[in-house]
Amino acid sequence: MIIGLDIDDTITNNTEVIDRFAKEYTEKVLNREFKINTLDVVSPMWAQYVYGWTEQEDKDFWNQNYEKVMENAIPKEDAVECINRLSQKHQIIIITARWDRENGSISKITNDWLKNHGIHYDKIFMGHEDKRKTATENNIDIFIDDNYKTCKQISDLGIRTFIMNSRLNKDIQDEKIERVFSWKEIEQKIEIRP
């Protein structure tokens, strides 16, 4: 079986890291009170909406903090162990919306991060906000992501899709997409199969 995985907030707990840098940016650079808006956001570029920034403030934040956020990401509980066990029986393809800098820094950070955490995978594709083409071309059987828009697009292709629960998608319901809360649950669902 071929399993497609997102990285941010699927393998990692990036939201917690982004919150930390966003708080510092909002309070020290923008000189405003830091607030987190809890709402369902389907855009992969969710920070602007959640933190109440303008489009330019959002752009400035990422220009200043993108590498730091990616370097400071931590794996979700049990992610490394479960992915590595799955990789013994299945092909693992990572498809991430992470965009690279001209100097290739994000690609290097991402590959180093995966290596340093010992995550086994067969292929990685970066810069894919619309992941449908890559999923189709690589014959993905199961796809796991935290972004509802992406999950909807992939499930509409007939691919079994899991959405990793997050504060951005917690209230969205879709009978074609299976909501999961942990990597152990994902591993169990894949190995048992419906």
Side-chain angles (χ1 to χ4, degrees):
M1 197 160 32
I2 302 172
I3 302 170
L5 304 177
D6 174 49
I7 296 177
D8 299 310
D9 287 321
T10 302
I11 297 174
T12 69
N13 273 330
N14 272 37
T15 297
E16 296 168 16
V17 177
I18 296 168
D19 283 350
R20 190 171 78 235
F21 287 107
K23 182 177 190 320
E24 182 179 316
Y25 172 74
T26 303
E27 293 175 351
K28 293 182 179 174
V29 176
L30 302 178
N31 297 311
R32 290 200 306 252
E33 180 185 355
F34 178 69
K35 290 188 264 184
I36 297 175
N37 301 313
T38 56
L39 52 129
D40 294 331
V41 180
V42 297
S43 170
M45 306 310 292
W46 54 265
Q48 175 183 348
Y49 308 102
V50 172
Y51 305 126
W53 296 333
T54 66
E55 191 173 325
Q56 186 60 51
E57 290 168 344
D58 183 64
K59 184 178 178 181
D60 291 344
F61 170 80
W62 289 110
N63 282 336
Q64 295 169 27
N65 295 285
Y66 191 33
E67 283 90 349
K68 290 189 283 188
V69 167
M70 299 307 149
E71 289 170 333
N72 286 281
I74 56 170
K76 283 188 175 286
E77 185 177 358
D78 301 313
V80 174
E81 298 81 8
C82 291
I83 292 167
N84 288 345
R85 280 193 297 270
L86 289 168
S87 76
Q88 293 172 8
K89 298 178 186 175
H90 310 287
Q91 187 176 2
I92 304 294
I93 297 178
I94 295 173
I95 308 171
T96 178
R98 286 184 178 190
W99 67 96
D100 210 348
R101 301 274 199 201
E102 287 180 19
N103 65 5
S105 63
I106 299 302
S107 180
K108 180 173 179 5
I109 289 167
T110 301
N111 286 301
D112 288 350
W113 188 93
L114 290 163
K115 182 180 178 182
N116 291 337
H117 287 283
I119 296 175
H120 300 218
Y121 62 95
D122 297 283
K123 296 180 191 173
I124 184 168
F125 297 92
M126 292 186 60
H128 292 267
E129 190 171 319
D130 185 336
K131 301 177 182 181
R132 290 176 286 193
K133 183 178 179 193
T134 306
T136 302
E137 288 174 350
N138 287 276
N139 300 308
I140 300 292
D141 297 299
I142 292 176
F143 193 77
I144 307 158
D145 204 311
D146 67 299
N147 182 271
Y148 173 71
K149 179 181 177 184
T150 299
C151 288
K152 176 76 174 142
Q153 291 172 335
I154 298 296
S155 71
D156 285 347
L157 296 172
I159 296 170
R160 185 177 180 196
T161 304
F162 297 114
I163 189 166
M164 181 64 81
N165 192 65
S166 77
R167 73 174 180 218
L168 298 178
N169 68 39
K170 63 183 175 18
D171 296 323
I172 298 173
Q173 299 298 318
D174 190 317
E175 61 187 32
K176 290 171 58 180
I177 301 169
E178 298 176 59
R179 181 170 299 278
V180 288
F181 297 88
S182 72
W183 271 98
K184 284 188 174 179
E185 180 184 7
I186 291 169
E187 183 179 22
Q188 182 181 29
K189 286 177 177 269
I190 290 173
E191 293 305 338
I192 292 175
R193 294 186 202 166

